[in-house]
Amino acid sequence: MPELPEVETIKRQLHDRVVSKRIKSVFFHPDFGNTLKFRNKKDIENLLPGKEITDIQRCGKYLIFNLSNSNYLVVHLKIYGRLVINPRFTPPKDHVHRFSLILEDEQTLRLFDKSSLADVLLMSSQDLKNIQSRVGPDPFDLTQEEFHQRIMAALQTKIKEALLNQGIISGIGNIYVDESLYKARISPFRKSATISKDESNSLLEAITEALEQGIRNRGTSIESYYDAFGFPGENQKYLKVYGRQGQPCFNCQNPIILTEIGGRRTYYCSFCQPESQLSLF
DNA sequence: CAATCAACCTGGGTGC
DNA sequence: TGCACCCAGGTTGATT
């Protein structure tokens, strides 16, 4: 589910409800995670009660709760994770309740996950620095020049795979990458180093627009994502290629193609996003 | 080195 | 009804 716009939406919605609040207790559902996570689980149960959440931030697709003892509770929702505060409904049966964080004012933050891939980790400042150094810059923080440099460095890697690589640029996932490439009219199959400066400029602009639109619409809800209040986002109504296989391209009316790149489903228009620049003529 | 693949999980869907 | 298999918006680590 969650890419940058979804995590950013959750961060903004949670901010006023959790920042400056003290944690009363935490609870892990017995089905949470594997043995590796179990070790961290004990730390979280032991160390969190009594600590204050001093801030909430986002690093790529990671959501980070700053705690009063200079530790950080780091959440990654992976594919199906949902983080919901004060749900007033019974969550869908297929999403298992994995974790709860109860605040001093009795608000409850719950993590639901259909699989159990989502991570809840307790980190020191050093751990967090290691994460932050592995995660590339936010698209919103990049100049055209920096973006182009990073794309060029990906050499023979297909541009779609480069954009999905969180170390090159962070926050873009499988939906927004297809939307951005379509908007910039660049084939997802193009080798990164063949992207011209002009193309890279339009690509960064397309990425920025696609992500900002996603944030404005509180995220894209296709099969799993809900915002922090338990409501679906609206951005799925405005997607231009993702999920539109066989339907006419909004620009040229040719059918949108569904294929596979790097093991991920990939939607594109083979006319508007030609793989070879020669086919433009 | 870069590209590919399997693994991590599990609910749901499909097809036999 | 059962079962084997495939799929998923992500990430990582091993293999070719």
Side-chain angles (χ1 to χ4, degrees):
Chain A
M1 116 188 178
E3 308 179 28
L4 186 153
E6 288 74 32
V7 180
E8 180 66 22
T9 298
I10 293 170
K11 186 199 86 174
R12 292 181 186 185
Q13 292 178 329
L14 290 182
H15 185 276
D16 290 348
R17 299 192 172 229
V18 305
V19 171
S20 308
K21 300 280 170 61
R22 201 164 289 280
I23 296 167
K24 186 172 161 190
S25 55
V26 294
F27 170 73
F28 281 96
H29 187 280
D31 291 341
F32 180 88
N34 56 31
T35 50
L36 187 77
K37 291 175 190 168
F38 188 80
R39 239 184 297 130
N40 208 268
K41 213 164 125 175
K42 284 291 163 211
D43 292 340
I44 292 171
E45 285 171 340
N46 293 334
L47 298 173
L48 258 60
K51 300 294 186 298
E52 185 186 318
I53 298 172
T54 57
D55 202 1
I56 179 168
Q57 50 176 320
R58 178 182 61 75
C59 174
K61 300 173 190 170
Y62 290 92
L63 192 62
I64 301 160
F65 298 87
N66 296 18
L67 303 176
S68 51
N69 57 348
S70 298
N71 282 346
Y72 301 85
L73 186 70
V74 177
V75 176
H76 197 301
L77 297 170
K78 297 288 176 75
I79 299 177
Y80 292 112
R82 292 179 181 172
L83 206 50
V84 182
I85 194 158
N86 307 331
R88 291 182 190 165
F89 57 88
T90 310
K93 192 166 133 227
D94 64 330
H95 272 70
V96 179
H97 184 192
R98 309 274 177 190
F99 173 73
S100 294
L101 190 154
I102 298 139
L103 299 172
E104 56 185 343
D105 61 3
E106 300 299 332
Q107 292 194 94
T108 307
L109 188 60
R110 290 193 172 91
L111 172 71
F112 296 93
D113 194 357
K114 193 169 117 168
S115 64
S116 61
L117 292 172
D119 276 328
V120 178
L121 304 162
L122 184 64
M123 293 192 183
S124 64
S125 349
Q126 190 53 54
D127 295 334
L128 184 63
K129 278 188 191 125
N130 293 341
I131 291 277
Q132 287 167 333
S133 67
R134 261 206 340 261
V135 173
D138 223 81
F140 300 134
D141 296 337
L142 276 176
T143 65
Q144 291 182 333
E145 191 53 44
E146 287 166 340
F147 178 66
H148 190 237
Q149 291 298 321
R150 285 178 170 266
I151 295 304
M152 290 298 99
L155 302 173
Q156 297 298 302
T157 309
K158 294 182 187 75
I159 185 65
K160 165 154 180 169
E161 294 184 276
L163 295 176
L164 287 175
N165 181 335
Q166 302 298 297
I168 296 177
I169 179 169
S170 68
I172 304 169
N174 204 36
I175 295 176
Y176 293 98
V177 72
D178 283 1
E179 292 296 312
S180 302
L181 287 166
Y182 175 79
K183 200 183 279 255
R185 300 201 181 189
I186 294 170
S187 163
F189 291 97
R190 289 272 300 281
K191 310 279 189 197
S192 301
T194 71
I195 305 291
S196 71
K197 185 66 163 56
D198 280 351
E199 287 175 318
S200 129
N201 291 350
S202 357
L203 183 53
L204 181 58
E205 191 179 347
I207 289 168
T208 305
E209 283 173 7
L211 297 177
E212 282 175 347
Q213 179 195 304
I215 294 171
R216 275 201 306 280
N217 292 315
R218 293 182 359 277
T220 304
S221 294
I222 290 175
E223 69 172 280
S224 179
Y225 167 74
Y226 274 47
D227 71 14
F229 300 141
F231 294 100
E234 303 283 339
N235 199 53
Q236 62 281 7
K237 297 175 186 169
Y238 307 102
L239 299 178
K240 298 290 193 293
V241 271
Y242 193 89
R244 299 196 63 247
Q245 74 273 23
Q247 298 174 51
C249 167
F250 288 126
N251 182 54
C252 74
Q253 314 308 318
N254 285 295
I256 298 297
I257 307 290
L258 171 58
T259 180
E260 191 178 292
I261 294 177
R264 317 296 304 279
R265 51 197 348 215
T266 298
Y267 301 88
Y268 75 110
C269 173
S270 55
F271 291 87
C272 295
Q273 300 164 269
E275 187 173 351
S276 160
Q277 292 177 298
L278 289 179
S279 62
L280 285 169
F281 302 103

